Amino acid sequence: MPDRVSSRIAVAFAVVGLVAALAVGAGLFVGLRTLHQEATISSLGDITQSIVARVRAVDAVADLRRVLTEIRADLRPELGLYAIVGERTVTAEAGDVEVDLSGVKLGGALHVGETIGGEAPGVDGSRAVYSATVVRREGAVVGPLAIVLTAPDRSGALALRDLLRVLPAVALVTALIAIPIAWLLSRSITRPLRRLADATAIV
């Protein structure tokens, strides 16, 4: 019977350890994914700032489309370049993911030069991230003008890669801590049971 108790304690510790590892892994994955998304959006924002200077003087939608096409040729293939003009979206080229920007809100609280970023759905069901910078509120181009740069959202894959790198080390440290504790706890519980079993056997 003491051996059976030891086995059950070991199994219980293994189950608790596995659940804890899964919970920690899930938390790390969410945190890493958010960090990768924020880093991508920040990088897009930096690139957008250099584009804003080139489109600021554009005074017609046709000229804007031409300038965007010229700029797009200098960007990485996976990036999409868009301009939001009033209620319209002008596309230079979609990049790897064509993005639906209808959810991007350039409210009146945003000032010229301000940048917002976030997630946006691709028209094919994939996910993308974007960075949108307000170029002007009014001008020869009717209504507000904002430049939007998009990229495929690869934060999940990057987070999983980072997690798989660190998970073996976490599992090893957890095992090194949990195994001695389980052994000591098992001995402290089974030792009195063994004594009781021995005393009962003698009687």
Side-chain angles (χ1 to χ4, degrees):
M1 183 174 175
D3 292 335
R4 196 177 305 162
V5 172
S6 295
S7 300
R8 288 180 179 174
I9 291 171
V11 170
F13 259 85
V15 170
V16 169
L18 181 60
V19 170
L22 289 173
V24 169
L28 281 173
F29 176 80
V30 171
L32 289 168
R33 183 175 180 273
T34 301
L35 285 174
H36 281 295
Q37 265 191 349
E38 290 174 352
T40 302
I41 291 169
S42 177
S43 175
L44 291 176
D46 292 341
I47 298 169
T48 306
Q49 292 302 320
S50 64
I51 297 171
V52 166
R54 293 176 64 178
V55 301
R56 189 166 279 139
V58 175
D59 59 3
V61 172
D63 292 337
L64 177 62
R65 193 182 298 275
R66 176 184 53 77
V67 171
L68 289 177
T69 302
E70 291 172 1
I71 293 169
R72 181 65 189 79
D74 298 330
L75 298 175
R76 298 194 308 269
E78 71 269 15
L79 300 182
L81 178 60
Y82 304 80
I84 298 177
V85 184
E87 299 299 318
R88 296 174 53 192
T89 300
V90 179
T91 310
E93 191 177 321
D96 287 353
V97 177
E98 187 177 349
V99 179
D100 176 9
L101 296 176
S102 59
V104 178
K105 302 301 179 189
L106 302 170
L110 288 175
H111 303 293
V112 172
E114 274 195 85
T115 298
I116 59 170
E119 292 182 74
V123 296
D124 61 353
S126 59
R127 300 296 300 173
V129 290
Y130 71 87
S131 176
T133 301
V134 178
V135 178
R136 61 174 170 256
R137 278 290 163 197
E138 300 293 338
V141 176
V142 178
L145 169 63
I147 295 298
V148 184
L149 205 58
T150 66
D153 185 3
R154 299 193 175 106
S155 58
L158 293 172
L160 186 60
R161 181 201 65 189
D162 292 346
L163 190 60
L164 291 176
R165 281 181 183 168
V166 74
L167 211 53
V170 171
L172 180 61
V173 170
T174 302
L176 289 174
I177 294 171
I179 289 172
I181 292 173
W183 182 77
L184 288 171
L185 183 61
S186 174
R187 282 194 51 150
S188 67
I189 293 173
T190 57
R191 188 179 297 139
L193 292 176
R194 287 185 194 283
R195 289 176 184 161
L196 181 60
D198 291 343
T200 305
I202 291 171
V203 173

